[in-house]
Each structure stands twice: as structure tokens, then as C-alpha cells.
Amino acid sequence: MKMIRSMVLVSGDSLSLERGAEQVLQALQNEIQAFGLSDEVSVMMIGDVGRHDALPMVIVYPEAAVYGPVRPEDVHYLVEEHLYKGRIANDLLAPVRELSGRIAWVAARKGTLPAEQRIVLRRVGLINPDDIEEYILHDGYTALGKVLTEMTPNEVIEEIKKSGLRGRGGAGFPTGAKWSFVAREKSAKKYIICNADESEPGTFKDRIILEGDPHSIIEAMAIAGYAVGADEGYIYVRGEYLLAQERLRRAIEQAREMGFLGKNIFGTDFSFDIHIHTGAGAYICGEETALIESIEGKRGQPRSRPPFPTTYGLWGKPTVVNNVETLANVPPIVLNGADWYRRFGTPSSPGTKVYTILGNVNVTGVIEVPMGITLREVINIYAKGMKGGAAFKLAQTGGSSGSLIPASLQDTPMDFDSYAKAGVALGSGALLICDENTCVVDLVKVLMNFFRKESCGKCNPCRIGTQRAYEIMCAIAEGRGKMEDLDQLLWLSENMYLLSNCGLGQTAGTPIKDMLKHFRAEVEAHIALHVCPTGVCKIKAFA
Amino acid sequence: MPTIKSLDDLKRIREEALAKRKAKTTSGQVQITVAMGTCGIAAGARDTMKAILETIAEKNLEGIIVTQTGCIGLCEREPIVQITVGDQPKVTYGKVTPEVARRILEEHVLKGQVVQDHVVPL
Ligand SMILES: Cc1cc2nc3c(=O)[nH]c(=O)nc-3n(C[C@H](O)[C@H](O)[C@H](O)COP(=O)(O)O)c2cc1C
Ligand code: SF4
């Protein structure tokens, strides 16, 4: 079996090509073969690498060594030193420079890429989650102590703003700004809610955090409470997460016993306590206003906005709703400072992101990597390549409401802004990697089935639109589709986007649009030729 | 449990915990950590844990601490068990069925021989 230990990328933008990138690629392939490394090292040409001062560039992973400008005659030495002997060929390295975008995190790591960069997960898998002493041993509750005894609420908010932390629940809203909206409300009662409903199919990053490091969420919620002036918090945990609930309950009890929750925390006049509320299996209750309704004991349906929860939230009081992963970033930021945090990730999306990797790859699981890493890197380095050597077809990000990422976007940095610019969404952190044997029609059909079942039914465009979209997808999959159906699908997704009340309806059409943008030929084959190119859809022969 | 009233209290607790842990490693104590996230449990971590505890009881082994932790991110290799003997580096094992767990206790913990075919390179 091939076991790829290194990946070599050659920059392939127009300037690099003009300067001989093709010859460098060819030389790399020859040398790698000559050294007998073909089974261990993969070489490929990618697009623009994000900087243009030393082209053509050669980047070698996992060390993330950036070489450039590389001439064909340098290649023998480069391969011998780096790939054969395993030392960085220092004299060929590109000048270290403040980078933006795609390889910014390479600079952040000063030319080396560790296995992963763990901030949120630094204690997960290391400590016993049921033992508060182990949490304290690993710096636990120090950030809370620091905040309560050395910082004003305003200073805390400023630090979070400066860190550039953005919400990890899917939308990427700046956390510091959200907190400041609640802080400036003049209300005697405010709430902090941790959104742990995590119902996006394939996403389980929050569960890993809750099960492995429950105290970090408690600490972060107390810090948020102090910053905005709230004395009560709720953790809304997905109903199926029994183990997470059990560990949170135990953690809250221990925190109360030791005085991290309750009255006069750290001897100050700040008081804070947390309740757990469990969901009952509805996806829509992850939407923040539906979640609030659900805590209030009502039917879980999104409210109309404005007013937003920051002014009119739980029981009408100003409320912060933050995702689990967002909160887990707070104590380390407070402890190490915003400047430290900004060393990871990209300028517009600092920090790390926890991804759950699933699908047709060799290694599935959870990783935490700096923002700005690319899909190709995730697949080749962390997921150890596609299963059975099959070709990559598409990735579905962020559970069902994310985007379909085609192969052409494999080298786009995964951060909020770069993805938005490319017209796709990063979502909540699930990466479903699909190979060439996946039928896009079948995939989108399954997604539409999900939306039609999970739509809460409050507004017509979403309730009826998702149902119609599902019916049309079924028709196409069964060979009954017509070309006009494709226009109908686009019309539906546009109207759902424009007219729906909440994010569910607004994003339900995204996979349809992506499908027709990137894989239209495959869809048309189902309709016009009555064949499913991958053989997944069982189309009956023409009657 | 003591109540924390200041940063100094917290520091003291941490130092006590640190001292406790040092005492453990210098006395050559064995620590067995079973990853018990949902993924681990689904893959059979509870049976593995049971087998470890039973074997320890059967053989009257002493000086072994068995604890649990969350998912370390390698859901595919679950159940995962980590062994630390004294101040030696931690060894991570993957796909530890009850039988493998018994072998690890027998060979690694008792005789000091790492069970190579189940080691997960990290
Ligand atoms: C249909 C739908 C489902 C959602 N599900 C979740 C969820 O499971 N977990 C979550 O944190 N946010 C979810 N959100 C986003 C929340 O509404 C909200 O934006 C988020 O909790 C804010 O936290 P953040 O700023 O820390 O990201 C969902 C949104 C929609 C529209
Ligand atoms: S968009 Fe869909 S899920 Fe959202 S409120 Fe309307 S019907 Fe409910």
C-alpha cells in the first residue's frame, strides 16, 4: 500500500508558469523517482499560493517549508536534502514574510506545521473530564480568576474584540461585538446561552469538547457573564448527547462546590450560575431564537427579527447566544492575550477551527487546525488521502446547510471571508468528503429530504419550497425529470433564500444552486439521457 | 472540596495537584487512561474498561490508576487506551478489545514490553 508521508506542492499561477513552474514540476517528479520515493511522496501543481515575491514556489508538507524561487537545477538538491535526508534545505527557503490568506498560518508556525494546532481541544483526551482537579492542574479557572480580579468587564470585551474571535456556530459573527451589544443594554437581568444543540448531520465537534473538557465551557460562560453583566446561564444540549449532559451536570456540581459558580465567585461580588436544558431532537432548535423559545417551554419555532436576542432574548431579556466552540476559545484568549491568538489563522479569521472529517477518505475523525488551511491539505495530510485512491469529487461543508465544494475550490483557504468570496460557506465544521462514485443528484436529494423534515413550518417559502424541491429531486433521480424542473429548482431556491424567516429556509437552496453551478452536466444526464453517470440512482429504462 | 476565594487559593490547589501527580510518576506508578467519549464507548470502551478492571482485580495488581478521558480525535482507532509507566513517555494503543487490553496488562504493564502491533503512532 502507498503511504504518503510528504506532499509537495508547486505554485501554478500564470507568473509561476512563465518562470518555469512546469519544468520544476517535471524535475521534481524525475528526482523523486530517482531517489525511489514515489510511493511516499506526492507531487502536484496547485494554483495561486497567495504570495508572488519568490515564484515559482515549492511547498513541502507536513513541515510546510516554503521554498522559492526554485529553478529546475535546484530540484536535485532540494529533493536530496528535504525528502531523502529529511532536513530543511535552508538556503532555498523563500524569504519569511508576513503572509496573507492561504499560507498565512505557515508564517504563524514559523515554517513548521505541527501535527495539529490545538487550542480548543488542548485538554480533550488528556484530562479526566469528571475530575475538576485535573482541569485546574491544566490552567483551569485561571482565566476566570484573572478576569474577576484584574480586569473590568469592558476590558474583557475589548480583548475579545481585539482577538478577532468569530462565532463557530456557522455564521462567523464577531463575538466581541455580540457581547458589547448585550453589555450596553440597561437591564437588571441578562442571560448567557451556550448553544450545544449541534444537530447538523456529521458535525460532532461540540460533543467532543463537552465530553472531553466540560469545565472549559462553564468557565467561558462565567467570563461572558461578567463581561456583559449577566448572572445566569443556560446550556442547551442536544437531547441525544447523554454522556455530554452527564459530564456537564457533574462538572457544574463540582464547580459550585469549589465556588466557581454561585455567589461571590473568587471573593468578588460577581455571582453566576448555570442550568442545563436538553433538546428533544429538533434540528431547528439550534437556531438561536427557536432555541430560546424552546427554553421558555414553547414550541421551537424561530422568532421574527429584529428584535435580536441581544436586546430581546430569553424571557425578553438581553441574551448572548454562543456556540460551544466559540466559548471554548474564550479562556485561552483571556489567559494569553489577543495578540497571541492572532498568531494563528488568517487576519480576518484568527484562531483555529475544529473539523469533523467524514466520507471517502482514509482517516476520519476530528482535527483542530489553523483557519486558512485548504481542503486539499485537510484531505491529503490529515485524512491521509482518498480511500482506495479514488478521485475527489466534492466536499460538503457544515452539515446540510453548508456548500458543495467542487475540486476547483480545493485550494481556497478555509476561513470565513475567503470562502464567502468564493461564494461558498464554511458552516459549522463538518467536512463530508465525497469521491467520484458519489452521485450529486442523490446527495442533494438526501439533503432536501432532511430540510423538508426539519422545516418548522412557520413560513410558506420554506415549508412548501423544501417539499417541492425534494419531489423534483426524486423525479430527477428516478429518471422522470424534465429540463424545466431545473429552472423551477433555481426559482425555488432563490425564493426560499429571499423570503424565508430563518437560516434554515434561507440556506436550504444552497446545495441546489451549487449542484447546478458545478455539476449541471451530471444532472442533465439524468434528465436527458436517463442515465446516472455514477450508477447510484436506479433509473428504470425508458418505457 | 475546598472553596476558592482568590487566585492564590487556585494556585495553591494547582500546586497540590501537581505535587500529587509528581509523587505518582516518581514512584513508578502505572496510569491507564481509557478514552471514553461517545465514539470510544460505541466502539466498546466500556468492555475494555471492564476487562482492565477485572484483570487488575484477578491478578491483585497494585499501584495502577485507571482513569478515563475524552476523545483524542482518532475516532477510527477507538477504543483507545494510553499507558504511562512512571515517568516514561506515554504509549497510545488503538483498537483495544478486551483481549488486547489483557495482553497489554500482561506484556506492557507487568513485563515492560510494549505491544507493538497495537501502538498508534502519534
Ligand atoms: C437551522 C439552524 C440551525 C442551527 N443550529 C445550530 C447549532 O446546532 N449549533 C450552533 O451553535 N448554532 C446553530 N445555529 C446558529 C445559531 O442560530 C447562532 O447563530 C449561533 O448559536 C451563534 O453562536 P456563535 O456566534 O458563537 O456562532 C443554527 C442556525 C440555523 C439557522
Ligand atoms: S424558514 Fe423554515 S425553519 Fe425557518 S421559520 Fe420559516 S419554516 Fe421555520
Side-chain angles (χ1 to χ4, degrees):
Chain A
M1 195 190 76
K2 270 197 176 182
M3 191 67 191
I4 300 296
R5 66 172 168 85
S6 280
M7 183 170 61
V8 182
L9 306 178
V10 182
S11 63
D13 55 299
S14 50
L15 195 57
S16 296
L17 292 173
E18 203 172 289
R19 295 191 183 162
E22 287 284 3
Q23 288 85 324
V24 171
L25 178 70
Q26 188 59 48
L28 277 166
Q29 281 161 347
N30 294 345
E31 289 294 338
I32 285 169
Q33 185 153 27
F35 278 102
L37 299 171
S38 302
D39 281 351
E40 302 164 37
V41 180
S42 74
V43 192
M44 65 187 99
M45 180 170 274
I46 59 171
D48 194 314
V49 295
R51 59 183 271 195
H52 306 110
D53 59 326
L55 299 175
M57 280 190 190
V58 173
I59 307 173
V60 186
Y61 292 105
E63 294 84 7
V66 183
Y67 296 107
V70 177
R71 299 163 303 168
E73 53 269 36
D74 299 328
V75 169
H76 173 79
Y77 171 71
L78 197 163
V79 172
E80 179 174 14
E81 282 298 298
H82 193 144
L83 297 171
Y84 189 68
K85 295 183 183 161
R87 315 189 279 231
I88 305 271
N90 282 316
D91 36 339
L92 286 179
L93 284 178
V96 176
R97 214 190 64 181
E98 202 44 53
L99 299 174
S100 63
R102 172 168 175 8
I103 44 178
W105 53 277
V106 177
R109 299 299 314 155
K110 293 210 176 62
T112 55
L113 175 71
E116 282 177 60
Q117 187 61 51
R118 292 196 164 198
I119 295 176
V120 169
L121 299 178
R122 68 202 175 289
R123 277 183 289 256
V124 175
L126 195 67
I127 64 165
N128 180 350
D130 283 339
D131 188 350
I132 191 169
E133 216 171 68
E134 292 204 13
Y135 181 69
I136 294 173
L137 188 63
H138 290 87
D139 291 331
Y141 290 112
T142 322
L144 180 61
K146 178 179 169 185
V147 160
L148 292 184
T149 56
E150 295 169 9
M151 294 169 85
T152 65
N154 200 32
E155 281 169 352
V156 180
I157 293 182
E158 284 310 312
E159 197 67 24
I160 298 296
K161 273 191 183 165
K162 231 172 80 193
S163 75
L165 175 64
R166 298 172 66 166
R168 305 293 199 244
F173 192 82
T175 307
K178 189 184 277 187
W179 289 16
S180 69
F181 297 156
V182 174
R184 71 174 181 219
E185 291 293 322
K186 292 190 181 32
S187 169
K189 189 79 194 173
K190 298 176 185 176
Y191 294 98
I192 306 292
I193 295 178
C194 170
N195 187 344
D197 194 46
E198 193 167 62
S199 318
E200 288 285 3
T203 311
F204 52 95
K205 62 179 180 80
D206 294 346
R207 195 195 77 215
I208 302 276
I209 299 170
L210 295 170
E211 286 177 357
D213 197 8
H215 283 285
S216 66
I217 300 304
I218 296 172
E219 181 174 10
M221 287 176 73
I223 293 173
Y226 176 72
V228 307
D231 65 353
E232 209 172 338
Y234 280 85
I235 307 180
Y236 190 96
V237 195
R238 176 177 172 157
E240 292 90 333
Y241 283 4
L242 295 175
L243 187 63
Q245 290 164 18
E246 183 188 315
R247 293 207 170 136
L248 276 170
R249 284 214 175 84
R250 204 164 297 145
I252 289 173
E253 265 164 40
Q254 291 173 349
R256 281 190 190 134
E257 258 177 64
M258 292 191 78
F260 298 121
L261 288 177
K263 295 220 175 319
N264 303 108
I265 301 170
F266 275 96
T268 65
D269 51 12
F270 174 67
S271 302
F272 193 78
D273 209 350
I274 296 178
H275 317 279
I276 295 180
H277 193 102
T278 56
Y283 168 66
I284 194 59
C285 285
E287 197 281 336
E288 53 190 14
T289 57
L291 183 153
I292 289 171
E293 292 277 299
S294 167
I295 296 182
E296 291 181 0
K298 302 185 196 135
R299 183 170 168 177
Q301 284 191 321
R303 297 174 175 172
S304 314
R305 279 144 300 160
F308 290 95
T310 47
T311 50
Y312 189 91
L314 185 57
W315 286 298
K317 303 297 178 202
T319 303
V320 170
V321 184
N322 269 140
N323 171 257
V324 172
E325 188 188 347
T326 315
L327 287 169
N329 276 292
V330 168
I333 292 174
V334 167
L335 219 46
N336 304 306
D339 292 334
W340 166 82
Y341 191 71
R342 280 196 166 274
R343 296 217 311 261
F344 308 99
T346 60
S348 70
S349 307
T352 59
K353 182 81 195 77
V354 183
Y355 293 107
T356 47
I357 311 179
L358 347 133
N360 311 120
V361 288
N362 284 321
V363 178
T364 56
V366 188
I367 57 166
E368 179 178 352
V369 290
M371 283 275 191
I373 188 168
T374 67
L375 196 54
R376 191 191 300 279
E377 287 154 352
V378 168
I379 294 171
N380 285 297
I381 300 174
Y382 302 103
K384 302 249 185 321
M386 302 295 295
K387 209 168 218 159
F392 170 84
K393 177 164 183 178
L394 61 93
Q396 219 254 320
T397 59
S400 46
S401 56
S403 299
L404 305 183
I405 314 288
S408 58
L409 294 179
Q410 270 189 100
D411 294 309
T412 306
M414 300 208 286
D415 63 54
F416 294 113
D417 290 352
S418 306
Y419 259 39
K421 227 181 276 166
V424 286
L426 194 54
S428 57
L431 296 175
L432 174 65
I433 317 279
C434 302
D435 68 13
E436 53 197 341
N437 301 315
T438 312
C439 171
V440 72
V441 171
D442 184 60
L443 179 70
V444 173
K445 185 182 90 182
V446 170
L447 292 174
M448 289 307 128
N449 191 25
F450 176 79
F451 284 128
R452 113 194 136 103
K453 287 189 174 155
E454 297 295 341
S455 166
C456 82
K458 181 170 175 167
C459 49
N460 294 358
C462 165
R463 184 183 66 235
I464 302 170
T466 50
Q467 174 67 27
R468 274 300 292 145
Y470 173 66
E471 288 165 7
I472 296 176
M473 288 313 297
C474 286
I476 297 176
E478 289 160 17
R480 295 183 283 111
K482 297 192 226 32
M483 280 301 181
E484 305 89 84
D485 286 345
L486 301 186
D487 297 330
Q488 178 81 6
L489 278 176
L490 280 178
W491 182 85
L492 277 173
S493 45
E494 188 58 23
N495 279 305
M496 284 196 282
Y497 171 67
L498 291 172
L499 303 173
S500 295
N501 174 44
C502 85
L504 191 150
Q506 286 158 12
T507 57
T510 316
I512 294 180
K513 280 187 226 164
D514 291 345
M515 169 183 81
L516 291 175
K517 186 164 159 199
H518 303 295
F519 302 98
R520 191 167 181 120
E522 189 179 336
V523 184
E524 289 185 353
H526 285 75
I527 299 172
L529 308 174
H530 294 264
V531 287
C532 172
T534 54
V536 173
C537 302
K538 300 278 168 283
I539 298 184
K540 291 192 198 84
F542 243 138
Chain B
M1 260 188 271
T3 317
I4 308 289
K5 280 285 155 215
S6 66
L7 267 179
D8 286 335
D9 285 355
L10 184 63
K11 224 161 122 195
R12 215 191 50 244
I13 298 277
R14 197 162 69 223
E15 269 152 20
E16 281 169 20
L18 204 61
K20 247 192 265 173
R21 158 179 300 197
K22 271 228 182 78
K24 279 182 202 165
T25 51
T26 45
S27 66
Q29 194 158 30
V30 178
Q31 181 163 346
I32 303 180
T33 311
V34 185
M36 299 269 267
T38 296
C39 45
I41 292 172
R46 281 205 209 281
D47 291 336
T48 305
M49 178 68 109
K50 212 167 117 219
I52 292 172
L53 294 176
E54 278 170 6
T55 315
I56 290 174
E58 269 164 29
K59 299 192 190 292
N60 270 326
L61 304 179
E62 275 176 16
I64 298 180
I65 308 176
V66 182
T67 63
Q68 56 169 357
T69 190
C71 165
I72 68 168
L74 286 164
C75 311
E76 283 215 337
R77 305 282 188 106
E78 296 280 3
I80 284 179
V81 174
Q82 302 184 311
I83 310 268
T84 318
V85 181
D87 49 9
Q88 290 170 22
K90 179 158 70 187
V91 178
T92 303
Y93 291 106
K95 299 223 187 260
V96 183
T97 57
E99 294 75 63
V100 177
R102 280 184 212 109
R103 248 182 83 202
I104 291 172
L105 278 170
E106 193 77 32
E107 294 174 24
H108 185 166
V109 176
L110 287 180
K111 300 188 192 131
Q113 287 157 3
V114 175
V115 181
Q116 289 299 349
D117 47 332
H118 278 270
V119 171
V120 180
L122 288 184

